[in-house]
Amino acid sequence: MSIRPDQAERPATIHDIAAFCGVAASTVSRALSTPERVNVRTRARIEEAAARLNYTPNSQAKALSSGRTGAVGVLVPDITNPFYFDLIRGTQLQLKAAGYTQLLVDTEESDEVEASAMEQLRKGADGIIVAASRLSDDVLLAAAAKIPIVAVNRDVPGVPAVIIDTPSATSQALDHLISLGHTRVAYVAGPATSQSSERRWTALAAAAEARGVEAHRLGPFAPTTQSGAAAADAAVHSGVSACIAFNDLIAIGMLQRLSARGIRVPEDMSIVGCDDIFGADFCNPPLTTMASPIEQAGRVAVSMLLARLNPLAGGGRRSRSVMPTHLTVRGSTGPAPKV
Amino acid sequence: MSIRPDQAERPATIHDIAAFCGVAASTVSRALSTPERVNVRTRARIEEAAARLNYTPNSQAKALSSGRTGAVGVLVPDITNPFYFDLIRGTQLQLKAAGYTQLLVDTEESDEVEASAMEQLRKGADGIIVAASRLSDDVLLAAAAKIPIVAVNRDVPGVPAVIIDTPSATSQALDHLISLGHTRVAYVAGPATSQSSERRWTALAAAAEARGVEAHRLGPFAPTTQSGAAAADAAVHSGVSACIAFNDLIAIGMLQRLSARGIRVPEDMSIVGCDDIFGADFCNPPLTTMASPIEQAGRVAVSMLLARLNPLAGGGRRSRSVMPTHLTVRGSTGPAPKV
DNA sequence: ATGTGACTGACAACCGATTGCCAAAAGTTT
DNA sequence: AAACTTTTGGCAATCGGTTGTCAGTCACAT
């Protein structure tokens, strides 16, 4: 009975519906996207036909003619870093809820890959969320002029951002260590290109100064468990009794290395991580860490981006959102060893 | 000097190049995609112009006219499960190498979400890789008829698949436990809808039968650390001295719960996990587990899919690939307790 | 010089929508 | 009933490419 006997083969188009209802394709388009522009009765017929023919709009075509792709690019430096898992989950959830598709790109910690991905996405997506961007301020700002961007953990004036406030948590961590009697503390730095790492060190150094304790800086180290081994050795050599690591991966790597070297945690050395990623609660000993609301950060980033894409639909246009963090104390920190 | 003074604003199109070189748009298209179809000199001019104008093909338009989207959908039941991280990384790497874009979708362990994602992707992607599909054989087969699909850890005749051979590793794990003196072993089952879980139990039950040891089945349990607590309690209650868990998440959850209940691992109870995910090596105690080449599985899945998409470019059309696994012994298994 | 075929490049239709503009239809007002 | 306004729906252009078809060019063989 169908006009298109091959409907099982090829997905129905707007033209099929038009033919089926005896109206023009443009009318169908309007009925579906601008309902008030079409007579109620016609619209009902069209909607019914659409349902019967199992119509799904072709996103490619829609994107081409309307300019909107319905996709958002999410750029992360390293997909396998558990920190980004939670972020990705947050963005994915929120994007799906808003009817957007997520394009996930691993930039491999490279500014070049990141830049080329952005250029690519400029036509393939309506907006971009970029985590821990490796791009310089200038380049990032220039990119933001071409396509809506929300940065995560990257502060550049003029670029909307979600910042996880680890610097202030770093001071908390320091106070925690001080209260346990530690006086010589090391900051185990992350990648040299990481702005977060830099900001954390600045905060830590200032806090240490104010409280009159020694703060060493070690690194930079890659944010992986592997490089945690080198970090552990450096920490032992530096003679400190406690370390605040750039992130949990490094901290966990340190835990493993210290254990292998027979150095007890926390009896001989206390370790504080950052992010509270998957695994931080069940490593040995469980890691004291600065817990970040990562997934929430992802959701907020999406909200900010979408608010920018659809200015009409209310919502404050905050251009900077700071997410609070707090110290979660577990077993990897303890009283300073008595010399 | 440019013909398009606004080139900084709007990305260059094929028509801009055509105008710039004084040729037809179709010639530009051919020069770029079918080089041998165009005179060498003309092609050179076009390529130079393309470079000068900083031309990037519009993927939407390309998709619309050619029918190929250059994207591959990757469906996973739960993005936050570390098992899939590695899989995603494998697919991402291989897809990028081949010039494809990865569309990542979290199906939330729901067959409905999975089915609708597939329907959606039918026009938005050239092919689909689906991990641990929750769909019934019929539905999956029907979907595979509409769009090229490669399944991971899901065996349906007629659907190309990459299977991680955990069932045989399960027997290895059992032998390992038997060699440690265990005679009453439990299998901690995964989700009821998981084919892998089913196959593993079948293999384990058969092996246990052959070796004359008791094998209990517990569960089903959700594949999360949370449900590991319930699993641990069930295991203790069942009176077994060793457990083989559906995956590492459950196993790690069991470790935590057992520790909280004061039951020592491996002295009182041995635990074997599956997958060797991130964290399995640094939990407490480190987990004995069946190591799966997950990332490699992702790469193989992509290769199989691409071979299907571009039949010309050689490559055997294997339609089923079994990935070997092996037992990695760590600290969570030990001699059976003397009663 | 003419025929043949390989090579080039242009024209135009098409992919599946969106959208500005216009005319027909319907409803209102005087 | 004529004039005017508001709906309502259709035409056709457009987005940026791809691709089938065809005509023109040129070289070579006859």
Side-chain angles (χ1 to χ4, degrees), chain B residues 2 22 24 33 46 89 176 179 247 249 257 262 267 269 330:
Chain B
S2 165
S33 53
I46 291 177
R89 178 194 215 183
H176 167 63
S179 72
N247 72 5
L249 289 174
R257 175 66 170 188
E267 290 80 0
M269 170 92 78
R330 297 203 183 94

Side-chain angles (χ1 to χ4, degrees), chain B residues 6-66:
Chain B
D6 60 343
Q7 71 181 57
E9 314 251 355
R10 194 165 34 91
T13 75
I14 207 177
H15 294 97
D16 300 321
I17 300 180
F20 190 87
C21 295
V23 298
S26 55
T27 303
V28 177
S29 172
R30 287 208 171 81
L32 267 25
S33 53
T34 328
E36 70 278 9
R37 187 66 219 313
V38 158
N39 185 297
V40 201
R41 292 181 43 74
T42 330
R43 194 206 318 169
R45 272 168 48 218
I46 291 177
E47 282 172 349
E48 194 200 315
R52 277 192 52 173
L53 297 179
N54 198 3
Y55 168 76
T56 328
N58 179 315
S59 55
Q60 323 286 347
K62 188 174 276 183
L64 184 54
S65 55
S66 67

Side-chain angles (χ1 to χ4, degrees), chain B residues 166-167 170 187 196-205 245-247 274:
Chain B
T166 44
T170 306
Y187 174 67
S196 318
S197 181
E198 202 54 40
R199 296 158 59 99
R200 244 172 267 173
W201 164 245
T202 308
L204 179 64
F246 169 66
N247 72 5
C274 181

Side-chain angles (χ1 to χ4, degrees), chain A residues 81 188 200 223-224 245-252 272-275 287:
Chain A
N81 182 332
V188 180
R200 244 172 267 174
T224 62
F246 169 66
N247 72 4
D248 286 348
L249 288 175
I250 294 180
I252 290 172
V272 177
C274 182
D275 295 342
L287 194 63

Side-chain angles (χ1 to χ4, degrees), chain B residues 99-167:
Chain B
Y100 279 80
T101 302
Q102 164 165 304
L103 300 176
L104 182 62
V105 181
D106 184 339
T107 58
E108 299 166 20
E109 317 230 8
S110 145
D111 57 344
E112 287 179 30
V113 175
E114 188 178 330
S116 85
M118 282 196 177
E119 185 56 34
Q120 178 101 8
L121 249 25
R122 190 170 150 199
K123 288 178 219 155
D126 294 344
I128 294 178
I129 289 174
V130 53
S133 176
R134 259 57 174 171
L135 262 27
S136 72
D137 287 18
D138 294 349
V139 177
L140 194 55
L141 205 48
K146 294 179 185 170
I147 178 171
I149 288 182
V150 171
V152 174
N153 270 0
R154 185 58 149 65
D155 216 350
V156 176
V159 178
V162 176
I163 306 289
I164 297 179
D165 184 22
T166 44

Side-chain angles (χ1 to χ4, degrees), chain B residues 206-224:
Chain B
E209 169 96 43
R211 288 157 181 76
V213 303
E214 263 182 59
H216 296 250
R217 176 180 189 165
L218 309 176
F221 295 101
T224 62

Side-chain angles (χ1 to χ4, degrees), chain A residues 96-235:
Chain A
K96 192 195 304 193
Y100 279 79
T101 302
Q102 164 164 304
L103 300 176
L104 181 63
V105 181
D106 184 339
T107 58
E108 299 166 19
E109 316 231 8
S110 147
D111 56 344
E112 288 180 29
V113 175
E114 190 178 329
S116 84
M118 281 197 179
E119 185 57 33
Q120 178 99 11
L121 250 25
R122 190 170 150 200
K123 287 179 221 153
D126 295 343
I128 294 178
I129 289 173
V130 53
S133 177
R134 259 56 174 171
L135 262 26
S136 71
D137 288 18
D138 295 348
V139 176
L140 195 54
L141 204 48
K146 294 180 185 169
I147 177 172
I149 288 183
V150 171
V152 174
N153 270 1
R154 183 60 149 66
D155 217 349
V156 175
V159 179
V162 176
I163 306 290
I164 297 179
D165 183 23
T166 44
S168 81
T170 308
S171 309
Q172 277 183 60
L174 182 63
D175 288 337
H176 167 63
L177 292 172
I178 290 175
S179 73
L180 288 169
H182 296 270
T183 55
R184 296 193 318 291
V185 173
Y187 175 66
V188 180
T193 48
S194 164
Q195 197 186 36
S196 318
S197 181
E198 203 54 40
R199 296 159 59 98
R200 244 172 267 174
W201 165 245
T202 308
L204 180 63
E209 170 95 44
R211 289 157 181 75
V213 302
E214 263 181 58
H216 295 251
R217 176 181 188 164
L218 308 176
F221 294 100
T224 62
T225 53
Q226 288 82 41
S227 65
D233 291 345

